[in-house]
Amino acid sequence: MSVESSKFRPSARIISTIGQDIIKDMHAAIVELVKNAYDADANNVVVRFEMIAEENCNKIVIQIIDNGHGMSKEIVETKWLVPSTNDKLNRRSSPKGRVMQGRKGIGRFATAVLGGILEVETVSQNIKTSLRLNWNDFTEDKFLDEIEIYISSEYSDIENGTVFKITGSSDKLEQWNEKEIDFLIKELKKLLTPLKKSDNTDTLNNTEIDIFNISVEFGNFPILMYNNQTLDITPFPFSDYFDYRLFGSIGANGKGVLQYQNSSIGDETTQNVEIDVELNDKQKHCGQVFLDIRVFDRDPEAINKLIENNYIQNNESEKLGKNEARRLLDQISGVNIYRNGFRIRPYGDAGYDWLDLDKKRVQDPSYRIGSNQVSGYVSIQDEEISQLTEKSARDGLKEDAYYFGLQAVVTQALLKIENSRYSFRQKTGRGRKHFFLDTQLEKLVDQSSIKTEIINILVDSRIEEQKINEVEKIIEKDVDEKRVVAQEIQNAIAIYQGQATLGKIMNVIMHEARKPLAWFKNQTETLNKTFVRYSETKDPQALEKMLRILNESINETNILIRLFDRLSPLATKKRGSINEFKILSVIEESLRVFEGLIKLNNISVTVDCPKELIYKGWREDIYIAITNILENSVYWVSKSQKEKEIIVKANENEDVLNIEIADNGPGVIKDMLLSGIIFEPGISAKPNQEGTGLGLAIAGEAIARNNGEIKAIDVQIGACFIIELPIGGME
């Protein structure tokens, strides 16, 4: 057998693959070439479109002209003509200190997407280097090293810079219609950072973004509105007329203090908002993140405010209409990701909802923020620091644990805005009002007003008293029947809420059940082997081991029994009746649900409740309410770094029986507490979808069924909830 060495010999088609197959579209191709101009330390780059008549057909010529440092003949030969070179990756920064945007080494091949002929003229230190490529040559059946590329150089007295001239067929010309030109301009606007120094500018990379001007020129061009026009590209500005804003830096550990503003009240006073981003097993911290998120309500009142503010700034001839105002918001909407001052596509594009905002908004439109309501700027650090890597095709970041970590950072920041915004809207009467189900059912059943109106009409019509009495009895009978139905609905709701609570705490129970279940799994096999050994040898040690396992199994079984006993008050399919019960026994039952987590997190629990304190009502409801409040307390206290404490007190005060549950955790967001929205379904401050937003809502409903009320008290440390029940209980 003979062994010979061989080598890869790339086909010329690889260039077509790099260019046309990897670069997403013609807009992306131009963006890549503009980024290359930035890497070349250019202060100005011009994208020029022109139509030329050639051989009885019209063709398109696109030029990318920059005043950067240019390239020498050696650089062209050894780096520019080397596919996927790692030159920029190794250098990382330009001579002026700019962080390189085009590290993949494929941007130059973007020209193949724009047209078949490429002519390059680049000047560096008074030497002009020129070359011409026909990309069609690279699709023929040849090897890459068989295609000759002729390079010339000569003296030049013009300033440094580079011109890419791309000539495309009539088909390429037709592609650049008005819609595509408009989209390109929008892409170039969004490429540049919208932040100004007055906007608390992103300084993640400790570099000030220097001058980089982009313009688009049109010579002889078939689209009339652009023919012989020049457009200076300026970034879409962040509107100064946001309704809500959250901005600042979040550290590499996920912690930070952000600034929150609410301009809806005419007061842009800044409030500090602490954030501590929690990640799940599929997420990792992605370095420091700077964000500036601005939110618009988009209701008629907010739109009118935007129009008025625009009018004040400009003049009457420029006053916006409602449709124009909405279109402006559409243009700037989306959460964009930037690195070193340049946008990463496609984040922020219309229809690219990378945070699933619209999907979440469908579930609760009054609480959640939609993608067309937010204009967001998110800045990330370099790949080496953040581990957030762009895909080779320039169509976003690799969707790995670091990317999911970035999603978590932005999502949890948005949750801060959503909670504060919703609280404000509820407090000022702009949001949807929440009513307890019992109240709504009572309204459906209550016929007193209509009964009075009917009787008055009958009396005024001089109907016989006997007939009036008959009508009154019919109405009362109908009310009685409806009350029975309402009670059945109320009972069903109570059962469903009990089962919902059961579902919420099952994770707690199953966490503790894993240990005894694992013990049974392991010891069953051991017991079987030991039994076989004893059967064969009558070894007394084997018998002793079997007895030890059996005795231990009793203990593990009792652990499981006690665990599932905790669930029995919630697992019922039938609602119990109103009875007298001791409050202390309900508190102790609720605490037993969480005894494993309480022990694991070293939480101190104090209970102060008289043994003789009795209430008459639905025991399951009080158990549901206390359990849901305790679930929140245990969750938030366990996140604390200080000594963890939960205090439960119960007593009678005049005509009210009070049950107070307090903790020294991070407390309730003040806006949420004062507005009372924490008792509304779907409202949760828990990150990573850990919270259902049902716990306190269910607790409130359960206590309302017992003619009571839950109050959230504003305290300096932690959270405090008080359940107020009437002395004497239910009738």
Side-chain angles (χ1 to χ4, degrees):
M1 180 180 68
S2 63
V3 178
E4 298 179 0
S5 66
S6 186
K7 298 178 180 178
F8 279 111
R9 195 178 181 193
S11 165
R13 293 181 183 273
I14 194 172
I15 298 300
S16 173
T17 300
I18 294 174
Q20 296 184 9
D21 294 349
I22 292 183
I23 300 298
K24 184 180 178 182
D25 50 45
M26 55 191 185
H27 315 99
I30 288 181
V31 167
E32 284 299 313
L33 293 169
V34 169
K35 284 184 177 181
N36 280 351
Y38 178 83
D39 291 345
D41 283 331
N43 296 121
N44 302 293
V45 58
V46 177
V47 180
R48 181 174 175 81
F49 289 85
E50 193 162 12
M51 181 185 72
I52 60 171
E54 186 178 298
E55 298 178 1
N56 298 321
C57 70
N58 294 326
K59 293 187 177 182
I60 189 170
V61 174
I62 302 174
Q63 296 183 72
I64 313 295
I65 308 162
D66 73 59
N67 66 342
H69 50 58
M71 295 180 286
S72 66
K73 183 172 182 288
E74 180 186 2
I75 293 294
V76 171
E77 290 177 330
T78 62
K79 294 178 181 177
W80 194 86
L81 286 174
V82 178
S84 300
T85 178
N86 62 357
D87 172 54
K88 289 185 180 181
L89 183 62
N90 291 335
R91 283 193 289 146
R92 297 188 181 179
S93 61
S94 71
K96 281 188 179 180
R98 290 177 173 174
V99 178
M100 292 294 189
Q101 299 298 309
R103 298 193 190 184
K104 306 296 183 183
I106 61 171
R108 69 213 67 173
F109 302 112
T111 58
V113 177
L114 302 173
I117 305 298
L118 170 64
E119 298 172 78
V120 181
E121 287 189 358
T122 180
V123 177
S124 176
Q125 297 180 348
N126 298 119
I127 301 296
K128 181 173 74 173
T129 302
S130 305
L131 63 87
R132 185 179 189 275
L133 294 175
N134 185 340
W135 291 119
N136 294 323
D137 293 341
F138 292 86
T139 61
E140 296 176 4
D141 191 15
K142 294 180 181 179
F143 290 105
L144 192 57
D145 57 8
E146 292 178 335
I147 297 177
E148 298 289 344
I149 299 174
Y150 298 100
I151 303 175
S152 64
S153 60
E154 59 182 329
Y155 174 81
S156 175
D157 59 359
I158 63 176
E159 294 182 354
N160 291 349
T162 300
V163 178
F164 289 91
K165 180 180 178 182
I166 306 120
T167 303
S169 64
S170 58
D171 291 340
K172 295 289 185 182
L173 177 63
E174 290 174 1
Q175 288 179 1
W176 286 106
N177 54 39
E178 184 177 336
K179 179 181 177 181
E180 299 301 332
I181 291 290
D182 288 345
F183 187 80
L184 172 65
I185 292 168
K186 183 178 179 181
E187 285 293 290
L188 292 174
K189 280 177 169 287
K190 295 184 78 172
L191 175 65
L192 301 173
T193 174
L195 292 188
K196 302 170 289 188
K197 288 184 179 180
S198 59
D199 290 323
N200 299 280
T201 306
D202 157 33
T203 54
L204 289 190
N205 301 284
N206 298 315
T207 57
E208 185 176 346
I209 299 168
D210 54 2
I211 298 172
F212 185 64
N213 299 316
I214 304 172
S215 60
V216 181
E217 293 182 357
F218 297 89
N220 176 32
F221 203 68
I223 301 176
L224 185 61
M225 66 178 295
Y226 291 124
N227 189 36
N228 294 314
Q229 298 293 316
T230 297
L231 304 175
D232 292 326
I233 302 299
T234 55
F236 282 117
F238 262 150
S239 172
D240 293 330
Y241 309 114
F242 56 84
D243 291 306
Y244 317 91
R245 180 189 180 199
L246 189 72
F247 62 93
S249 293
I250 299 174
N253 59 356
K255 297 181 180 181
V257 178
L258 304 177
Q259 308 298 307
Y260 174 74
Q261 292 176 339
N262 180 352
S263 68
S264 293
I265 54 178
D267 178 12
E268 294 187 11
T269 304
T270 301
Q271 300 175 12
N272 288 341
V273 176
E274 292 187 9
I275 188 166
D276 186 355
V277 178
E278 292 190 17
L279 303 180
N280 60 34
D281 295 340
K282 296 181 180 179
Q283 300 165 339
K284 290 185 179 180
H285 287 296
C286 56
Q288 189 179 358
V289 176
F290 176 91
L291 53 82
D292 192 328
I293 298 173
R294 308 184 187 203
V295 172
F296 306 89
D297 280 331
R298 292 193 72 137
D299 55 26
E301 183 180 349
I303 292 294
N304 288 335
K305 180 172 175 285
L306 175 64
I307 293 171
E308 182 61 27
N309 281 331
N310 188 73
Y311 170 65
I312 291 170
Q313 184 188 28
N314 299 309
N315 55 60
E316 190 167 2
S317 64
E318 295 176 341
K319 185 175 179 179
L320 292 171
K322 291 183 180 180
N323 291 335
E324 288 81 2
R326 290 189 177 93
R327 280 197 290 271
L328 173 63
L329 294 182
D330 288 339
Q331 279 189 328
I332 65 174
S333 65
V335 180
N336 301 272
I337 300 178
Y338 287 80
R339 182 165 12 219
N340 299 308
F342 282 90
R343 173 176 168 257
I344 300 174
R345 301 175 84 220
Y347 308 105
D349 282 354
Y352 193 83
D353 186 11
W354 64 284
L355 296 169
D356 290 332
L357 299 180
D358 292 335
K359 189 184 297 183
K360 297 170 187 173
R361 182 170 167 76
V362 168
Q363 306 299 322
D364 194 343
S366 62
Y367 171 48
R368 295 295 184 183
I369 295 169
S371 62
N372 70 340
Q373 291 180 271
V374 59
S375 179
Y377 173 97
V378 177
S379 179
I380 59 176
Q381 292 181 291
D382 289 340
E383 291 184 1
E384 294 78 15
I385 301 173
S386 67
Q387 306 301 317
L388 292 166
T389 307
E390 287 189 62
K391 299 175 186 176
S392 297
R394 295 292 194 180
D395 57 348
L397 300 167
K398 290 182 179 178
E399 295 180 2
D400 53 16
Y402 298 100
Y403 171 78
F404 297 135
L406 176 64
Q407 281 185 319
V409 167
V410 182
T411 297
Q412 292 180 41
L414 276 166
L415 184 62
K416 298 286 185 182
I417 300 182
E418 287 177 327
N419 285 334
S420 296
R421 169 183 174 268
Y422 189 74
S423 298
F424 167 74
R425 287 176 64 81
Q426 291 299 101
K427 191 165 53 178
T428 56
R430 303 184 191 186
R432 173 179 57 85
K433 295 298 181 183
H434 172 67
F435 301 95
F436 286 124
L437 293 173
D438 275 10
T439 306
Q440 299 301 84
L441 284 172
E442 184 59 35
K443 284 183 178 180
L444 287 174
V445 171
D446 186 9
Q447 302 290 335
S448 57
S449 60
I450 193 170
K451 174 184 171 183
T452 301
E453 289 182 21
I454 291 172
I455 299 301
N456 288 337
I457 291 172
L458 293 176
V459 171
D460 292 342
S461 301
R462 301 184 183 280
I463 303 297
E464 296 178 17
E465 185 176 352
Q466 181 181 353
K467 297 293 184 182
I468 295 175
N469 291 337
E470 288 177 5
V471 170
E472 190 172 3
K473 287 179 181 179
I474 291 172
I475 295 173
E476 289 175 353
K477 181 182 178 183
D478 183 65
V479 169
D480 290 340
E481 290 174 351
K482 284 184 169 60
R483 288 194 186 280
V484 172
V485 174
Q487 186 62 58
E488 290 173 352
I489 294 172
Q490 190 182 65
N491 291 340
I493 290 170
I495 292 171
Y496 294 149
Q497 289 182 342
Q499 292 175 349
T501 304
L502 176 64
K504 279 168 55 65
I505 65 175
M506 272 305 295
N507 285 336
V508 176
I509 300 298
M510 292 310 298
H511 178 78
E512 294 182 49
R514 287 191 186 100
K515 185 178 177 182
L517 290 174
W519 185 90
F520 278 113
K521 180 181 178 182
N522 295 330
Q523 294 302 319
T524 299
E525 185 177 350
T526 302
L527 184 62
N528 185 53
K529 290 180 180 178
T530 307
F531 176 74
V532 170
R533 181 157 60 92
Y534 178 76
S535 299
E536 294 174 350
T537 64
K538 304 300 180 185
D539 183 356
Q541 289 184 344
L543 179 60
E544 183 181 345
K545 186 174 183 179
M546 284 192 295
L547 292 174
R548 189 167 62 249
I549 292 173
L550 290 172
N551 286 331
E552 184 60 28
S553 69
I554 296 173
N555 295 331
E556 299 297 331
T557 300
N558 287 333
I559 291 174
L560 289 174
I561 291 171
R562 288 195 298 273
L563 280 173
F564 289 104
D565 278 347
R566 301 182 202 173
L567 304 178
S568 57
L570 302 173
T572 179
K573 294 183 179 179
K574 185 177 180 181
R575 184 158 164 77
S577 57
I578 296 175
N579 286 305
E580 288 189 346
F581 55 89
K582 292 183 178 180
I583 293 295
L584 180 60
S585 68
V586 179
I587 293 172
E588 290 174 340
E589 264 187 36
S590 296
L591 282 169
R592 276 199 295 273
V593 172
F594 306 102
E595 64 183 17
L597 282 177
I598 289 170
K599 184 177 180 181
L600 177 66
N601 291 286
N602 197 27
I603 300 172
S604 169
V605 177
T606 302
V607 177
D608 181 6
C609 174
K611 292 181 180 180
E612 65 278 4
L613 188 59
I614 291 175
Y615 183 71
K616 184 179 181 181
W618 279 293
R619 190 179 193 280
E620 297 91 338
D621 283 342
I622 310 305
Y623 177 79
I624 285 171
I626 294 174
T627 299
N628 276 290
I629 296 173
L630 281 173
E631 191 266 339
N632 272 339
S633 285
V634 170
Y635 175 89
W636 288 112
V637 169
S638 65
K639 306 296 180 185
S640 176
Q641 300 298 318
K642 53 191 175 184
E643 291 185 7
K644 306 171 177 66
E645 185 177 23
I646 295 175
I647 298 173
V648 184
K649 296 180 181 179
N651 56 60
E652 289 183 348
N653 180 16
E654 297 181 356
D655 59 346
V656 177
L657 188 157
N658 290 315
I659 304 171
E660 178 182 320
I661 302 172
D663 64 62
N664 66 342
V668 183
I669 297 172
K670 194 162 186 176
D671 284 346
M672 296 177 69
L673 186 146
L674 295 177
S675 65
I677 69 163
I678 52 175
F679 295 108
E680 296 194 17
I683 307 300
S684 175
K686 294 178 182 176
N688 284 328
Q689 290 76 53
E690 289 184 40
T692 61
L694 295 177
L696 292 177
I698 288 173
E701 295 279 2
I703 295 303
R705 284 194 292 270
N706 287 263
N707 296 334
E709 182 183 5
I710 297 181
K711 296 179 179 178
I713 307 302
D714 187 12
V715 291
Q716 289 186 343
I717 299 175
C720 180
F721 293 89
I722 295 179
I723 298 172
E724 293 184 350
L725 296 167
I727 294 292
M730 304 282 290
E731 295 180 0

